[in-house]
């Protein structure tokens, strides 16, 4: 019988397969789970998919420390026999491989502290296609009545899926008795609306439970932005004071997080190597990596099963902490704090579940406090130009406006932006309360360091 | 990376196909770190190197061991290079960068599902709406772009697509004019044309979408890369992609490369770092005044093309010879 998305089923399977270590150590991780998604365009559903797929990843280690030979293999056969075969083949393969100097061994078990955060909802996990179709209808009804087109998706996942719906780790155990399991549900609805006059709007809602997501309000919001964005005007190239809505902020923070990986700093691939302990953001900016934040409800262990500790990366703009994985901690001369990737992997141990705090009030209250600024709904196709100092480029999308005296005075053509995310954070002059966007909790921010250029025609 | 995939397709309409796809790829990436700078060089290309249909012979053919030292030295050399100046001038792209330019500004734009808003909330739409088919000049007469799922050794090559449609070869752009889309059975039926055979899925667990096959710029008559440089009075040669961004209609782009050379009077005169260029897709392709000949044609395999919800990563190859573009805006990367 295959493993199911049930904590007891997972832990029983680990106990069946992960004996005390002898000549070998074994780590078994379970990834993925269930993903259901209903996609719509031009106010109609055009795709409805359901995927249940658990992937088992075994890391097998023969020998200890510098003489350790390490192999990794995967299967979707999570029956006892399937996993036993995976482990046996992994050990056979490891014996054929050269030693991996510097291997520090698999981590021991430690208990995850209870935080009372709801990460799983049974009703949400059992949601069927009829409910999703009803939510889509609620999301598109405003657009349809207005003679506009809505597109988007309604998605529920159970288990763990990373960006781009790739399976993430939801459970991990090893032969030293480590047993961790966080089966989470997540719901998100994305709606974009286009109007006959060429306006485009977008809105998104996230949650752990399906009751967290308001489909009608999300569709209404997207339509409101789309109507307001009709007949956009060209903006001159320059530096502007801009209100970035939470989705735009989340996009940018995804590019600043990797600067805080200890290995990137040690290897001087991050600007923090020369600015450690220095001022990297405005006084308002406190940035934390924290899966225990109730607005985030992230996975509480990393890719080796180590419990993730909250790490303050920036405090009132000053650099404070770095993130470190178990496998690299010794070589970096630092203590691991639970941000390592699934091994073997030479990638950096990057902060996750970012929480940007320091502001107050809603986005609209932030707008009222900052009556004269540009406002951006979301950013698109942001990419590094230089990862060392988080210099990026990208486009505005689905809602770019100018406010004067607290009033929306005109829609603007989408523009390209260029600059360092650190410079944007240094220019923060006001923030709202954070809300959940994906696996982060982020506010809207007002920054006076946003550079735009070259309107798209 | 090595991937071996057996694909069986059985449908209630009677389709029965069986095929095996084997891909192999590898590459080198050297990072040089200076006082306030970090520079990268990749061999033979960025984002994992080179990938092709085949097995161990693909890896052996790369001869990575003999390229490692040179790649590292090239990265170190960039630390002391001058930054790319801000200018509008002639731009020559090597085949590595042209692969991405074709992919982002022509290939994605020609996906027919974008016309029908299927990607409106995510990957976006296209500047090539249905009225432009057969009427719109997307490039200069030098520009011929072909989608071809039959090229031996390429990643977007197959016997049948994932709806059972046989592999096709068709022009997307002929002498600058946009002539056809990449399509699947659903979107082609909506347009009233046969499927181009571009329904592809990343695995058994995700549905086929309209995806690129091998989309390439056909060779021209400008001779070798050295001939083209010799014919260029004032310009920049850029090599190997480092950064890429394009808007949701595939119009407004900015791309960065690992290194560049300033060209004056038909010769390379100095090495440049952090080069970027930007433009609008049709006007950029419309400025193409020279494409090198078939002796310079090279296919590059890309394995990281993302699209769809749930997300799917897909692989395909893009071929070209180096090409030149007039009056392109260039500058140092990331300058506000």
């Amino acid at each position: 019988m295959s493993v199911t998305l049930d904590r007891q089923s997972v832990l029983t399977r680990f106990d069946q397969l992960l004996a005390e270590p002898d000549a070998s150590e074994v780590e078994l991780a379970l990834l993925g789970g269930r993903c259901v998604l209903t996609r719509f365009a031009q106010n109609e559903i055009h795709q409805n998919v359901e995927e249940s797929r658990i992937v088992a990843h075994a890391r097998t280690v023969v020998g200890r420390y510098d003489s350790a030979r390490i192999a990794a293999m995967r299967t979707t056969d999570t029956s006892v026999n399937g996993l036993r075969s995976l482990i046996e083949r992994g050990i056979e393969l490891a014996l054929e491989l050269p030693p991996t100097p510097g291997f520090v061994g698999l981590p021991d078990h430690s208990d995850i502290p209870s935080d009372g955060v709801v990460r799983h909802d049974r009703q949400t996990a059992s949601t069927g296609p009829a409910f999703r179709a009803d939510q889509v209808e609620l999301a598109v009804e405003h657009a349809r009545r207005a003679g506009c087109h809505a597109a988007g998706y309604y998605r529920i996942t159970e288990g763990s899926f990373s960006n781009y719906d790739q399976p993430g780790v939801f459970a991990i155990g090893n032969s030293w008795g480590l047993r961790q399991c966080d089966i989470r549900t997540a719901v998100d609805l994305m709606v974009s609306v286009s109007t006959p006059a060429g306006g485009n709007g977008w809105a998104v809602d996230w949650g752990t439970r399906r009751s967290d997501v308001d489909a009608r309000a999300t569709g209404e919001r997207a339509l409101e932005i789309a109507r307001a964005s009709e007949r956009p005007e060209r903006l001159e190239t320059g530096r502007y004071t801009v209100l970035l809505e939470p989705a735009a902020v989340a996009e940018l923070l995804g590019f600043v997080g990797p600067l805080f990986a200890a290995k990137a700093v040690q290897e001087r691939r991050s600007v923090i190597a020369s600015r450690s302990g220095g001022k990297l953001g405005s006084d308002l900016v406190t940035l934390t990596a924290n899966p225990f934040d109730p607005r985030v409800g992230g996975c509480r262990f990393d890719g080796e099963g180590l419990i993730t500790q909250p790490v303050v990366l920036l405090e009132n703009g000053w650099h404070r902490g770095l993130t470190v994985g178990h496998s690299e901690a010794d070589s970096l001369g630092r203590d691991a704090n639970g941000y390592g990737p699934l091994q073997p992997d030479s990638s950096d141990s990057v902060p996750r579940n970012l929480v940007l705090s320091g502001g107050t009030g809603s986005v609209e209250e932030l707008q009222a406090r900052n009556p004269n600024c540009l406002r951006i709904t979301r950013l698109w196709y942001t990419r590094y130009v230089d990862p060392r100092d988080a210099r990026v480029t990208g486009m505005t999308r689905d809602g770019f406006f100018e406010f004067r005296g607290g009033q929306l005075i005109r829609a603007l053509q989408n523009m390209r932006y260029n600059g360092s995310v650190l410079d944007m954070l240094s220019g923060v002059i006001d923030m709202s309360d954070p809300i959940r966007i994906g696996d982060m909790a982020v506010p809207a921010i007002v920054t006076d360091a946003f550079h735009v250029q070259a309107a798209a025609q | 990376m090595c991937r071996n995939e057996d694909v069986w397709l059985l449908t209630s309409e009677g389709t029965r196909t069986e095929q095996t796809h084997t891909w192999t790829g590898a590459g080198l990436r050297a990072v040089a770190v200076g006082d306030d700078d970090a520079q990268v060089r990749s061999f033979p290309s960025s984002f994992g190197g080179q990938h092709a249909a085949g097995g161990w012979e693909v890896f052996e053919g790369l001869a990575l061991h003999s390229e490692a030292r040179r790649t590292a030295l090239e990265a170190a050399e960039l630390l002391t290079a001058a930054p790319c100046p801000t200018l509008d001038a002639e731009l020559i792209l090597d085949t590595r960068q042209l692969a991405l330019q074709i992919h982002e500004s022509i290939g994605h734009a020609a996906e027919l599902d974008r016309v029908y808003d299927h990607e409106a909330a995510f990957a976006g739409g296209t500047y090539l709406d249905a009225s432009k088919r057969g009427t719109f000049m997307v490039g200069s007469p030098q520009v011929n772009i072909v989608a071809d799922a039959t090229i031996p050794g390429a990643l977007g090559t197959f016997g049948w697509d994932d709806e059972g449609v046989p592999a096709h070869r068709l022009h997307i752009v002929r002498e600058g004019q946009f002539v056809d889309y990449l399509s699947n059975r659903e979107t082609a039926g909506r347009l009233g044309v046969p499927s181009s055979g571009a329904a592809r899925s990343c695995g058994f667990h995700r549905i086929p979408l309209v995806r690129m096959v091998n989309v390439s710029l056909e060779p021209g008559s400008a001779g070798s890369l050295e001939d083209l440089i010799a014919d260029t009075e004032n310009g920049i040669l850029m090599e190997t992609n480092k950064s890429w961004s394009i808007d949701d209609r595939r119009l407004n782009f900015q791309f960065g490369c690992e290194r560049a050379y300033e060209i004056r009077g038909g010769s390379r005169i100095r090495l440049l770092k952090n080069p970027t260029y930007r433009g609008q897709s049709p006007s950029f392709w419309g400025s193409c005044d020279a494409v090198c000949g078939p002796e310079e044609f090279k296919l590059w395999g890309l394995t990281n093309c993302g699209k769809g919800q749930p997300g799917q990563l897909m692989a395909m190859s893009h071929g070209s010879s180096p090409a030149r573009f007039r009056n392109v805006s260039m500058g140092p990367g990331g300058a506000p």
Side-chain angles (χ1 to χ4, degrees):
Chain A
M1 189 195 302
S2 298
V3 169
T4 60
L5 286 169
D6 170 77
R7 180 182 175 82
Q8 197 53 49
S9 160
V10 168
L11 297 180
T12 299
R13 190 58 44 91
F14 283 163
D15 289 341
Q16 288 169 321
L17 293 160
L18 299 171
E20 289 291 309
D22 42 34
S24 60
E25 300 172 60
V26 177
E27 176 185 81
L28 191 60
L30 299 174
L31 297 81
R34 181 168 173 264
C35 173
V36 298
L37 186 146
T38 301
R39 207 173 187 206
F40 52 99
Q42 298 181 344
N43 304 330
E44 294 180 352
I45 291 171
H46 69 94
Q47 178 185 313
N48 198 9
V49 294
E50 174 165 348
E51 170 184 330
S52 292
R53 192 170 66 118
I54 295 175
V55 178
H57 172 102
R59 178 165 54 142
T60 48
V61 184
V62 178
R64 295 281 158 78
Y65 304 113
D66 283 347
S67 64
R69 299 164 190 270
I70 304 170
M73 301 187 86
R74 287 190 177 196
T75 183
T76 53
D77 180 357
T78 59
S79 67
V80 172
N81 287 340
L83 293 175
R84 189 165 284 140
S85 170
L86 178 75
I87 292 167
E88 287 169 358
R89 286 185 291 131
I91 291 171
E92 287 172 13
L93 177 60
L95 287 166
E96 299 293 323
L97 297 173
T100 302
F103 179 67
V104 296
L106 302 179
D108 294 329
H109 178 72
S110 52
D111 290 322
I112 294 175
S114 176
D115 60 1
V117 175
V118 175
R119 288 181 169 78
H120 184 272
D121 179 64
R122 192 174 297 275
Q123 182 191 41
T124 300
S126 62
T127 299
F131 181 88
R132 301 199 301 273
D134 289 344
Q135 296 301 297
V136 169
E137 177 57 27
L138 292 172
V140 306
E141 65 178 8
H142 289 286
R144 183 188 292 122
R145 279 195 206 127
C148 301
H149 281 166
Y153 70 84
Y154 184 90
R155 171 175 55 189
I156 293 175
T157 61
E158 183 186 22
S160 177
F161 288 86
S162 59
N163 287 341
Y164 226 64
D165 302 299
Q166 301 305 305
V169 176
F170 69 83
I172 189 164
N174 70 29
S175 18
W176 294 101
L178 181 143
R179 302 285 187 271
Q180 311 292 18
C181 182
D182 253 350
I183 298 170
R184 294 171 291 138
T185 53
V187 187
D188 62 315
L189 168 69
M190 182 185 289
V191 184
S192 80
V193 171
S194 57
T195 74
N200 289 288
W202 179 87
V204 65
D205 202 1
W206 300 83
T208 299
R209 294 165 292 217
R210 66 190 201 186
S211 57
D212 295 334
V213 171
D214 188 334
R216 183 176 276 123
T218 306
E220 191 171 14
R221 173 76 181 138
L223 175 62
E224 179 187 357
I225 295 170
R227 282 175 158 161
S229 70
E230 292 175 345
R231 290 171 289 280
E233 298 176 11
R234 185 183 177 91
L235 185 70
E236 293 304 312
T237 294
R239 172 176 170 155
Y240 291 92
T241 297
V242 172
L243 186 156
L244 294 162
E245 293 196 20
V249 176
E251 170 117 353
L252 293 173
L253 289 183
F255 289 84
V256 81
L259 297 182
F260 297 90
K263 191 166 77 169
V265 174
Q266 175 112 340
E267 295 176 354
R268 295 163 60 208
R269 290 180 284 108
S270 162
V271 72
I272 292 176
S274 57
R275 297 175 66 183
S276 180
K279 195 80 186 299
L280 299 173
S282 88
D283 291 346
L284 292 173
V285 171
T286 293
L287 182 65
T288 309
N290 185 9
F292 296 91
D293 186 289
R295 292 163 294 203
V296 170
C299 183
R300 294 169 288 183
F301 53 87
D302 72 0
E304 291 187 274
L306 211 66
I307 294 169
T308 300
Q309 298 166 23
V311 175
V312 177
L313 306 171
L314 295 175
E315 184 176 24
N316 302 123
W318 293 91
H319 168 240
R320 294 290 184 243
L322 300 174
T323 48
V324 188
H326 169 79
S327 291
E328 64 189 10
D330 276 8
S331 63
L332 295 174
R334 296 177 177 273
D335 292 331
N337 46 24
Y339 289 87
L342 184 66
Q343 295 294 319
D345 188 338
S346 60
S347 302
D348 293 343
S349 299
V350 173
R352 52 193 167 77
N353 301 126
L354 294 176
V355 179
L356 178 58
S357 54
T360 58
S362 68
V363 177
E364 297 315 317
E365 288 167 341
L366 179 70
Q367 179 72 75
R369 293 197 300 266
N370 298 272
N372 302 310
C373 63
L374 308 182
R375 179 163 170 170
I376 294 171
T377 306
R378 69 187 287 209
L379 301 173
W380 171 247
Y381 223 121
T382 304
R383 290 291 185 274
Y384 283 121
V385 174
D386 187 346
R388 191 173 174 280
D389 59 357
R391 253 183 293 161
V392 298
T393 187
M395 293 292 299
T396 65
R397 181 176 175 182
D398 295 331
F400 184 24
F401 305 106
E402 181 172 1
F403 281 73
R404 285 283 171 262
Q407 300 298 309
L408 192 163
I409 61 163
R410 60 173 177 157
L412 301 169
Q413 291 176 1
N414 284 321
M415 294 186 79
R416 177 162 297 284
Y417 58 92
N418 268 284
S420 164
V421 182
L422 289 177
D423 289 343
M424 297 177 203
L425 291 178
S426 293
V428 169
I429 54 179
D430 202 354
M431 300 198 292
S432 68
D433 279 325
I435 63 168
R436 178 173 175 172
I437 298 287
D439 62 356
M440 301 183 194
V442 292
I445 66 173
V446 177
T447 176
D448 64 7
F450 197 83
H451 296 267
V452 292
Q453 58 196 171
Q457 300 298 309
Chain B
M1 183 195 90
C2 187
R3 173 174 168 152
N4 192 74
E5 180 183 65
D6 295 319
V7 183
W8 289 271
L9 178 66
L10 299 88
T11 75
S12 54
E13 294 177 316
T15 299
R16 303 285 186 273
T17 64
E18 179 182 347
Q19 51 193 330
T20 299
H21 306 137
T22 305
W23 306 334
T24 301
L28 300 170
R29 182 172 185 268
V31 181
V33 178
D35 289 339
D36 279 311
D37 195 7
Q39 291 292 327
V40 176
R41 274 300 280 161
S42 305
F43 176 84
S45 190
S46 46
F47 308 111
Q50 169 68 307
H51 298 77
W56 185 247
E57 73 280 5
V58 173
F59 178 81
E60 285 191 321
L62 294 171
L64 297 181
H65 57 283
S66 62
E67 299 291 340
R69 178 175 295 277
R70 184 178 60 80
T71 305
L73 290 173
E74 286 179 359
E77 192 181 26
L78 284 169
L79 291 173
T80 54
C84 179
T86 300
L87 77 169
D88 288 359
E90 294 170 300
L91 169 66
I92 298 175
L93 296 180
D94 79 340
T95 57
R96 299 164 182 82
Q97 176 58 26
L98 265 171
L100 192 86
Q101 181 75 50
I102 295 163
H103 179 97
E104 301 292 0
S105 64
I106 298 283
H108 275 308
E111 293 165 344
L112 187 52
D113 56 342
R114 289 171 173 266
V115 173
Y116 300 123
D117 286 354
H118 287 192
E119 291 288 335
F122 180 57
T126 174
Y127 64 91
L128 296 173
D129 60 64
S131 69
K132 291 192 169 64
R133 180 169 172 263
T135 64
F136 182 66
M137 291 301 289
V138 73
S140 73
Q142 311 288 332
V143 177
N144 288 282
I145 293 185
V146 171
D148 188 350
T150 69
I151 304 172
L155 301 185
T157 293
F158 43 77
W160 306 267
D161 76 359
D162 291 329
E163 291 181 330
V165 176
H168 276 55
R169 181 182 191 277
L170 75 160
H171 272 84
I172 293 176
V173 177
R174 191 191 302 274
E175 295 180 351
Q177 186 179 69
F178 170 57
V179 290
D180 225 332
Y181 287 103
L182 296 158
S183 60
N184 60 1
R185 295 177 65 193
E186 178 188 358
T187 56
R190 202 161 161 180
L191 192 64
V193 299
S195 168
S196 80
R200 304 181 69 195
S201 125
C202 69
F204 67 91
H205 59 298
R206 303 266 156 98
I207 69 167
L209 302 170
V210 178
R211 302 306 302 260
M212 273 176 256
V213 294
N214 308 301
V215 178
S216 301
L217 173 67
E218 292 201 311
S221 56
S224 68
L225 174 61
E226 295 310 315
D227 292 338
L228 189 58
I229 291 170
D231 183 53
T232 301
E233 185 59 32
N234 176 27
I236 305 275
L237 164 67
M238 294 195 193
E239 299 176 349
T240 316
N241 183 262
K242 187 164 82 168
S243 170
W244 72 106
S245 174
I246 191 164
D247 75 8
D248 56 297
R249 294 185 62 220
R250 300 281 151 179
L251 268 174
N252 180 322
F253 64 81
Q254 177 179 308
F255 297 135
C257 291
E258 288 185 355
R259 74 173 182 180
Y261 287 95
E262 184 172 356
I263 298 168
R264 287 279 174 84
S267 300
R268 295 176 179 86
I269 61 163
R270 62 170 175 160
L271 179 67
L272 302 171
K273 65 181 174 184
N274 301 333
T276 63
Y277 65 99
R278 61 177 74 108
Q280 306 281 326
S281 296
S283 56
F284 178 79
W285 285 104
S287 76
C288 179
D289 75 336
V291 181
C292 289
E295 68 272 27
E296 295 278 1
F297 187 85
K298 176 80 176 171
L299 272 174
W300 292 100
L302 272 63
T303 61
N304 61 344
C305 174
K307 187 180 175 184
Q309 293 166 316
Q312 300 193 37
L313 294 174
M314 187 56 66
M316 66 285 295
S317 297
H318 299 294
S320 71
S321 301
R324 184 174 64 196
F325 302 83
R326 298 279 188 189
N327 198 32
V328 178
S329 295
M330 295 175 266

